[in-house]
Amino acid sequence: MTLCYAALIKVLKICAKPKVYNKTLCGAVVKSLDEYYGGILESDDSTVSHLLSCDYNLSPADVIEPMQKTDLLSLSQGMEKYVIPLLNPDMIPLALLSLQDMALSTVSADEAKIGRLSRADLVLKVSFNPADFFADIFYFVATGIENKAGKETIDKVTEDYVNSFGKNKDSLTIEETVIVETQELERTLDDDGFEAVFREVNHGAALSLKNKSGISLYYLDISDSAFDYMALNEYLFDSVGMYVYSRTKLKEFEDKKKARSIGAKALRLMKANGNPDEKGTGNELGEMLLFTFMEGSLHAPKLLSKVEITTDASQFKSKSDCVHLLKRKVNGKISYQLVFGASSISGRIEDAIDCAFDALSAIKNGRRRERQMVDSTLFNHTYDKETTERLKQILVPSKQRQADPDMAFGVFIGYSLGVAADDNDAFRAMATGKMIEDIKAAIPYIEKKVSDLNLGMHSYYFYFLPFNDAEKDKKQIMDELLLGGAY
């Protein structure tokens, strides 16, 4: 049995709800990678027919090449959105077991990769997240094997074959882990503003850690063979009020019809707190950008920014650069993570990672103090009575919810890209390639740090952003924001 794209679709079709057609499934699977091309494929009966008979390979330009650059986490989210709703829930275990069997038949080396899994891991696997596994299989059939390779065995993928795994399905554990936005707190930042400033790179790499984690790479606009900071400067200026003040304080400004002065007052408070680029005051660029990515990308609402930690909670001497609340759905149940932040901007990416992990280790070692800081500040100073009660229900163990929220880590890393070219197009191509090389090289370095520091029991959400000259640029950007100096 050869696992190819056609085999994947045939298995899904056998396990689908009534009146779900092959072309619908073909389109849905590809939409998890590229919504536009998936929509085109969904209406192309001829191409779908040739793909399912293994006469055609997947499109190199529209599927294979984009897949090589994609983020498997986003692919899983696409499967959750487009594919899972088309399947009969009772048949999903059979789909998983069928695809597992075909994958093991197709690759022989234990170290061979099927998405995020090695063959050796897949042999022993009895617990599956369907969206993650379907994403792994799609990644494999798009990048690891030609669709035409399944020509001789595609006719063996039948309803009888899939149903033959029914005797084994009770031994299977189905896991569901989907990050969803919290309803208890609204995010403070505007999605449109974030997406207009930060461009995400699909690097196709993932962290191999014990707990579900993510690693994302962004860059700023490129102009004249360099990163352009103009849009970033404006975005930071527009966001400074949300960064500095709690939602309750922001509402007070609005109620008193002083909303226009929020930014000016926030900047005044930051200036009183310390100098531009002074680490630990909330005035350092990494501290502010970490808040931005926690809300704008992770969609985890702010509980405390670094400015609030160094003012309202200064007595706790917290090592965190921020605290955010992430709501998740795990195995069908809602759970929460308190995401404690660490940020670092340095010329060398390894130095920035080292510095961030020094902070993460200190946060973990001072876990009790960090939680006391969160509880004391939120329950006594920050929110109105109604919001405070809702947060207590989440953060304080009770008969209804016995466990504390898990501690997770959000990390912002800024570094110097180290690319030079006079030709603008050449610079863009070189910059993108170098960014992807950097992130892939950083992953084993991060994984070793996690292991060496015994920090493997946490989830991590990493955000990387390159600069032209990180050490110089971060100071000039914060000078521009706090002092009004020319960049």
Side-chain angles (χ1 to χ4, degrees), residues 62-92:
D62 297 307
V63 178
I64 298 174
E65 292 172 9
M67 183 66 85
Q68 291 168 341
K69 302 174 184 177
T70 199
D71 176 3
L72 281 166
L73 178 60
S74 69
L75 201 65
S76 296
Q77 292 168 343
M79 288 290 175
E80 190 74 43
K81 180 178 180 180
Y82 295 112
V83 176
I84 299 297
L86 301 178
L87 303 181
N88 178 346
D90 293 335
M91 294 293 289
I92 287 177

Side-chain angles (χ1 to χ4, degrees), residues 22-28 31 36-49:
N22 283 323
K23 64 180 183 179
T24 305
L25 282 165
C26 276
K31 279 180 181 178
Y36 176 73
Y37 183 66
I40 293 175
L41 189 60
E42 201 169 41
S43 60
D44 189 342
D45 292 330
S46 176
T47 298
V48 168
S49 177

Side-chain angles (χ1 to χ4, degrees), residues 319-465:
K319 301 299 183 182
S320 301
D321 284 347
C322 63
V323 185
H324 289 249
L325 180 68
L326 183 63
K327 180 180 179 181
R328 307 185 305 156
K329 193 174 183 181
V330 181
N331 297 330
K333 296 181 180 180
I334 298 298
S335 70
Y336 295 89
Q337 289 181 336
L338 276 178
V339 185
F340 291 83
S343 63
S344 181
I345 300 177
S346 184
R348 293 181 69 251
I349 195 169
E350 294 85 0
D351 291 343
I353 293 171
D354 287 344
C355 184
F357 269 99
D358 287 344
L360 296 180
S361 184
I363 293 168
K364 175 61 185 288
N365 291 336
R367 178 189 179 113
R368 179 174 295 183
R369 181 183 63 246
E370 299 288 345
R371 272 307 307 266
Q372 287 175 340
M373 179 266 295
V374 171
D375 293 349
S376 176
T377 308
L378 295 183
F379 299 157
N380 297 324
H381 304 287
T382 307
Y383 291 109
D384 58 81
K385 186 178 294 185
E386 182 180 345
T387 305
T388 298
E389 285 305 312
R390 289 204 299 268
L391 286 172
K392 282 183 178 179
Q393 291 173 9
I394 295 169
L395 301 178
V396 180
S398 65
K399 290 182 180 179
Q400 290 74 33
R401 190 191 55 74
Q402 294 295 325
D404 274 340
D406 289 328
M407 172 181 270
F409 293 128
V411 186
F412 172 79
I413 299 294
Y415 68 100
S416 300
L417 185 61
V419 167
D422 293 333
D423 181 276
N424 292 327
D425 292 333
F427 179 86
R428 288 185 176 89
M430 291 169 61
T432 302
K434 180 65 161 52
M435 282 185 268
I436 293 173
E437 288 177 11
D438 290 340
I439 205 79
K440 290 184 175 180
I443 284 174
Y445 193 77
I446 290 170
E447 292 169 348
K448 187 174 187 305
K449 296 289 289 190
V450 170
S451 176
D452 290 348
L453 294 171
N454 194 28
L455 294 172
M457 64 293 298
H458 304 286
S459 292
Y460 292 81
Y461 306 102
F462 273 87
Y463 295 90
F464 284 75
L465 185 75

Side-chain angles (χ1 to χ4, degrees), residues 25 37 47-48 50 55 101 111 165 186 215 237 246 251 280-281 300 306 313 376 394 421 458:
L25 282 165
Y37 183 66
T47 298
V48 168
H50 284 296
D55 292 325
D101 182 67
E111 65 274 12
F165 293 94
E186 293 182 357
I215 184 164
F237 184 81
S246 70
K251 190 174 186 305
T281 64
K306 188 62 175 181
S376 176
I394 295 169
H458 304 286

Side-chain angles (χ1 to χ4, degrees), residues 222-249:
I222 293 173
S223 178
D224 298 332
S225 297
F227 295 116
D228 188 338
Y229 300 127
M230 182 178 297
L232 174 62
N233 290 346
E234 293 177 359
Y235 184 71
L236 293 177
F237 184 81
D238 291 340
S239 305
V240 68
M242 285 76 85
Y243 170 61
V244 168
Y245 293 119
S246 70
R247 292 163 187 79
T248 302
K249 191 67 175 178

